[in-house]
Amino acid sequence: DSGVTQTPKHLITATGQRVTLRCSPRSGDLSVYWYQQSLDQGLQFLIQYYNGEERAKGNILERFSAQQFPDLHSELNLSSLELGDSALYFCASSVGGTGSDQPQHFGDGTRLSIL
Amino acid sequence: AQRVTQPEKLLSVFKGAPVELKCNYSYSGSPELFWYVQYSRQRLQLLLRHISRESIKGFTADLNKGETSFHLKKPFAQEEDSAMYYCALSPFSGQNFVFGPGTRLSVLP
C-alpha cells in the first residue's frame, strides 16, 4: 500500500459529460502529480501541484483542470469528455516539490471509460 | 529539454536467463534516475533509484553519464518479473518528472 488513495476506482460516463477524480496523497507529502495512461500514449504527465499551488504543467488539455486543496488532497476535473479520454488516470505524491528529487508514490488509478 | 528513451517496447526472455532493459536519457545536467515497475493490474511502484545504489528483487542499474544510460539488469530472470518497466528522470532544477515509454518484460517458463 503506497498510502496514496484515489477515488473512484472505475468511472463510466458518456461523451460530453464532466467528471471529477479525487486523490489523497501520502501523509506528509506536499506534491501531487496527475498522469494519464493509455494504450497508445503510455504514461503522460499532466500536472503537478505543490502545497496548493501549480508547480509544473505537462500535456494537459484545456478541457482538463486540477486543483490542490488546503488539506492537500487534489481533484482532476475532466470536461466535455471525448472517446479518446478513456484511460487510466494515476495520481502520485512525493514529499518535495522543488528539485523533484523525491521518488513518487502512485495510487491505484481511476479507470475512466467513455461510452 | 529532458527526454527518456526505452528502445524496446517488448522484451521476452526465458526464465533463468539474464535480462537487460535499456534506458537512455538526454539532459544537460546531473539528473536523478529511477526505475518504476507496474505488474499486471497494479499501480506503479518504485523499483530503484540510482542515488541509493541498492539492489531490489535482484535488479540493479548503473548510471553511465558518458553514455547517458541507466540500464536495468538482472542476472537470472524469474517469471514473476514479468511486468511493465518505466525509466524516469528527475532533474534537480524543479522541473517535472519525465517517464520513458516503458518496456514490457515477458519472462517465459
Side-chain angles (χ1 to χ4, degrees):
Chain A
D1 184 4
S2 69
V4 179
T5 305
Q6 286 188 251
T7 56
K9 288 193 185 305
H10 303 279
L11 202 47
I12 302 174
T13 188
T15 55
Q17 296 298 305
R18 173 191 168 96
V19 297
T20 298
L21 313 183
R22 183 189 168 101
C23 169
S24 293
R26 284 190 327 160
S27 176
D29 284 0
L30 299 179
S31 269
V32 170
Y33 309 77
W34 285 99
Y35 293 87
Q36 180 191 57
Q37 186 181 42
S38 56
L39 282 174
D40 56 343
Q41 294 286 331
L43 195 62
Q44 298 284 318
F45 167 73
L46 296 178
I47 197 164
Q48 176 202 356
Y49 277 83
Y50 174 73
N51 205 21
E53 294 188 2
E54 184 182 302
R55 176 56 59 96
K57 220 168 186 176
N59 300 320
I60 187 166
L61 300 171
E62 285 191 12
R63 299 183 286 109
F64 296 0
S65 64
Q67 55 184 328
Q68 186 179 27
F69 295 86
D71 66 353
L72 301 177
H73 90 270
S74 177
E75 291 182 355
L76 178 67
N77 300 295
L78 315 176
S79 61
S80 302
L81 287 167
E82 302 175 358
L83 292 175
D85 297 329
S86 294
L88 193 54
Y89 290 84
F90 282 109
C91 168
S93 72
S94 69
V95 172
T98 58
S100 298
D101 59 338
Q102 301 293 331
Q104 296 180 22
H105 300 270
F106 283 78
D108 287 331
T110 293
R111 183 167 295 282
L112 177 63
S113 299
I114 312 299
L115 303 179
Chain B
Q2 58 267 28
R3 190 179 171 201
V4 176
T5 55
Q6 293 177 251
E8 302 134 333
K9 267 191 161 178
L10 174 65
L11 183 62
S12 295
V13 300
F14 285 103
K15 177 182 171 182
V19 62
E20 180 180 65
L21 299 165
K22 291 185 167 54
C23 170
N24 288 91
Y25 66 91
S26 60
Y27 180 64
S28 56
S30 295
E32 179 161 10
L33 288 141
F34 303 82
W35 276 99
Y36 282 83
V37 60
Q38 186 178 27
Y39 300 103
S40 180
R41 299 182 179 278
Q42 294 186 27
R43 69 169 68 100
L44 273 87
Q45 305 171 40
L46 177 67
L47 183 60
L48 54 82
R49 55 193 297 192
H50 96 268
I51 203 168
S52 56
R53 299 182 183 278
E54 54 194 344
S55 172
I56 305 291
K57 299 184 179 181
F59 284 97
T60 58
D62 290 317
L63 178 61
N64 186 322
K65 291 185 179 180
E67 296 182 358
T68 59
S69 68
F70 189 54
H71 303 328
L72 183 69
K73 300 176 185 178
K74 185 169 182 176
F76 308 103
Q78 303 298 315
E79 288 182 69
E80 55 265 29
D81 296 328
S82 296
M84 194 75 177
Y85 290 81
Y86 292 93
C87 182
L89 176 157
S90 171
F92 284 100
S93 60
Q95 298 168 56
N96 51 275
F97 260 63
V98 176
F99 279 83
T103 296
R104 182 169 297 284
L105 174 64
S106 178
V107 181
L108 308 171

